[in-house]
Amino acid sequence: MSLSWPWALLALLIFPLVFAVWWLTRRRRRRAVVRVTSIALVRTAVPGRSHWRRRLPVALLTLGLAVLAVGAARPQATVPVASSSATIMLALDVSGSMCSTDVKPNRITAAEQSASAFIQSQAGGPRIGLVAFASTAVVLVPPTTDIRQLLSALGGLTTSFGTAIGEGIVTSLDAIAQVDHSVAPTGAAVSRPRGAGYADDVIVVLTDGSNNRGIAPQTAATQAADRGVRVFTIGYGTDNPAPLACSSTQFGGLSGGGFGGGSGGGGGGGGFGGGGGTGNPFLADYGALMQISRITGGTFYRAQDAGQLSKALARLPAAFTIVRKHIDLASWFAAGGGLLIAAAVALSLWWNRTRRRPAIP
């Protein structure tokens, strides 16, 4: 909890003054002693009250005033709330290796099912966009809240040749820039001040291979970090790839120009840059994916089957759709302090009310 007007707490200094006045008053009363011949007369004239009855109203009044003083300092609580302005770009690898059957029924089908469940779980929340990448990257669906459009695009994924992870990131950045003008497109100069925190927008990269086309993922990750956009990466598939098996609608061409038709090939080998390479086309480059997330402030996940992929996607919203919001608690403190003071006054009046004595026959 934080205080907007901490200087208002100086009002608490009045309590020592009130206590000093009360103590001096009691001391003067003790000096004014009335001599009587019978204690019984005093007990009859003054109704008896226990110590707690005398002190409870004073304690409630003091506590109420203290609560009001704290409320005057405008306390604020920082609570996590769901952000409705967030944009999530799902960048999905559609290289030919996504036809591998080590994830049942095959990688691309399991990815479609998990991504569909994730999109449906975010209904009414952040905008979601889809990017598919193989030898190049294309925006399938710009950021939108239209769940049907997103699910329809997922159902039409087809494979192609190559793996351009870096292109998938920069294409996602440009799609975000179209709807969030605080994020500069990749061709523009970045003027984001240091320490500005992360943007509400994130990119989720799901890939089962190593980059071998286009811009180096490290360069793309740096561009995302400069814009405050976090990149969460998911290394997909097992270490023991199985034969390729895709449906006729999932197989794409090997010429590298699109995402439809033909038969499947590998996801491309290679290191952390563009072109060629010696990496296994069926294994995700976990080191590169970890580096992308580390550069941008995101998180790396590994998913070797459909269950792990679904769990990884389910954990993501808590990381990037929850923002911190300051809530003013002054009204709550005012209400609490008022109730305490009202209770103190009510008890004091009730216990000090005049009681009629029965007539003496």
Side-chain angles (χ1 to χ4, degrees):
M1 187 175 68
S2 59
L3 300 175
S4 299
W5 300 342
W7 50 266
L9 293 178
L10 293 175
L12 294 174
L13 296 178
I14 195 174
F15 292 104
L17 179 60
V18 172
F19 179 78
V21 172
W22 172 78
W23 181 80
L24 289 174
T25 303
R26 284 196 63 186
R27 190 174 182 182
R28 289 180 179 179
R29 286 179 180 177
R30 287 178 181 177
R31 292 177 180 177
V33 178
V34 178
R35 294 185 178 182
V36 294
T37 57
S38 175
I39 297 299
L41 293 176
V42 177
R43 292 177 178 174
T44 303
V46 181
R49 286 191 300 163
S50 61
H51 289 293
W52 70 270
R53 282 193 175 190
R54 291 197 304 267
R55 295 173 180 174
L56 182 58
V58 176
L60 290 176
L61 178 62
T62 304
L63 181 59
L65 292 174
V67 171
L68 288 179
V70 175
R74 301 296 298 273
Q76 291 185 338
T78 303
V79 296
V81 296
S83 171
S84 58
S85 61
T87 299
I88 304 172
M89 291 300 303
L90 292 178
L92 306 178
D93 187 345
V94 290
S95 58
S97 57
M98 289 289 284
C99 289
S100 175
T101 54
D102 59 336
V103 179
K104 302 301 180 182
N106 59 18
R107 292 179 180 178
I108 192 170
T109 300
E112 289 175 359
Q113 294 172 350
S114 296
S116 296
F118 171 75
I119 290 172
Q120 292 177 26
S121 70
Q122 300 302 303
R127 297 178 297 245
I128 299 178
L130 287 179
V131 167
F133 64 89
S135 60
T136 186
V138 296
V139 177
L140 299 180
V141 181
T144 181
T145 56
D146 189 339
I147 301 298
R148 291 185 178 180
Q149 183 181 6
L150 293 165
L151 296 180
S152 176
L154 274 177
L157 291 180
T158 57
T159 59
S160 186
F161 183 77
T163 304
I165 299 174
E167 293 292 336
I169 294 174
V170 296
T171 301
S172 298
L173 281 174
D174 288 333
I176 290 173
Q178 293 293 320
V179 296
D180 186 351
H181 299 299
S182 66
V183 176
T186 54
V190 180
S191 59
R192 185 178 179 85
R194 290 187 177 181
Y198 296 118
D200 287 340
D201 317 298
V202 300
I203 300 171
V204 180
V205 175
L206 186 152
T207 180
D208 69 340
S210 302
N211 190 83
N212 66 349
R213 293 289 189 277
I215 185 174
Q218 186 178 30
T219 303
T222 301
Q223 293 192 37
D226 291 341
R227 291 160 175 79
V229 177
R230 288 169 290 174
V231 181
F232 295 77
T233 56
I234 301 176
Y236 186 42
T238 69
D239 294 334
N240 301 298
L244 305 181
C246 271
S247 67
S248 57
T249 58
Q250 292 173 333
F251 270 124
L254 296 178
S255 60
F259 300 110
S263 59
F272 199 50
T278 59
N280 191 323
F282 293 94
L283 297 180
D285 189 345
Y286 301 122
L289 296 178
M290 291 178 186
Q291 189 174 7
I292 293 171
S293 295
R294 185 168 58 251
I295 291 173
T296 61
T299 305
F300 165 76
Y301 299 94
R302 183 173 180 181
Q304 300 190 70
D305 54 40
Q308 291 181 4
L309 178 58
S310 296
K311 289 180 181 179
L313 290 172
R315 286 196 295 265
L316 289 174
F320 52 70
T321 65
I322 301 299
V323 297
R324 299 289 175 178
K325 183 178 181 180
H326 296 291
I327 297 180
D328 196 332
L329 302 178
S331 60
W332 292 94
F333 277 81
L339 288 175
L340 289 171
I341 293 174
V345 173
L347 289 176
S348 180
L349 293 175
W350 175 257
W351 287 333
N352 289 286
R353 73 188 186 278
T354 303
R355 292 184 176 88
R356 290 185 178 180
R357 295 289 177 179
I360 300 175

